[in-house]
Amino acid sequence: MNTSHPNRRKTAARAFSMVEVALALGIATYVLFSLLGVLNIGLATQKSSIQQTEALEIATAVVSDLRQVPKGAAVLESPKFAVNVAQTEAVLYVDAGGIVKASPENAQYRVTVTLNAPPVGSRSSTSGSVKVSWPAMAAEPAGSESVFVALNRN
């Protein structure tokens, strides 16, 4: 004799098998590690971008400082960075805030200012470049940015 109620259905317990759980965990782990790899690349790119931006800000400040030396001035040094515009090359060591440091140990950037004076009697401008490289003490820099400069010194 059948004692079950006619409206009740027999249902089996539903659950995930161990293989399905292991497969889902494997896929989730793969996706997580892929995202961490992309995050690491993004952080490295952000750091490089920040260094390039700081370097260009420093180069722009040096160029602006060089342009502040008036024509025919008795003192040929720029006011902020003390670069002598009569020299052909000057090396500065600067931190991220644009403050000149006495030694490369305390600096983050190395600034190389190269100026090419026009021939005597020429009416052409003084040209040159400002190269900012980092880190300051490295023989082979990790990165650098260069800016062309033309100074009307006639």
Side-chain angles (χ1 to χ4, degrees):
M1 178 155 71
N2 190 357
T3 58
S4 65
H5 192 275
N7 292 337
R8 286 190 190 170
R9 288 187 263 162
K10 288 188 176 182
T11 57
R14 294 204 172 249
F16 292 108
S17 69
M18 187 59 103
V19 173
E20 292 171 328
V21 171
L23 186 62
L25 285 175
I27 292 171
T29 303
Y30 177 76
V31 169
L32 181 65
F33 280 118
S34 297
L35 288 176
L36 288 176
V38 171
L39 180 67
N40 190 26
I41 292 170
L43 291 175
T45 303
Q46 179 190 21
K47 180 180 178 183
S48 174
S49 176
I50 289 170
Q51 289 173 330
Q52 287 176 334
T53 302
E54 287 175 347
L56 287 172
E57 286 175 353
I58 291 168
T60 303
V62 170
V63 170
S64 175
D65 192 46
L66 289 171
R67 288 188 175 142
Q68 289 183 17
V69 179
K71 298 178 201 176
V75 178
L76 296 176
E77 282 191 351
S78 63
K80 181 177 179 185
F81 293 102
V83 175
N84 189 331
V85 295
Q87 292 179 337
T88 57
E89 186 170 297
V91 177
L92 307 169
Y93 297 101
V94 181
D95 68 3
I99 299 171
V100 177
K101 299 295 181 179
S103 66
E105 292 86 21
N106 300 328
Q108 185 174 355
Y109 297 98
R110 176 186 171 142
V111 181
T112 306
V113 180
T114 306
L115 297 173
N116 306 316
V120 176
S122 171
R123 299 285 302 160
S124 60
S125 63
T126 301
S127 64
S129 66
V130 177
K131 180 179 180 182
V132 182
S133 58
W134 63 90
M137 293 182 59
E140 278 294 319
S144 66
E145 292 292 331
S146 294
V147 175
F148 174 78
V149 60
L151 304 172
N152 187 7
R153 305 273 318 139
N154 298 320

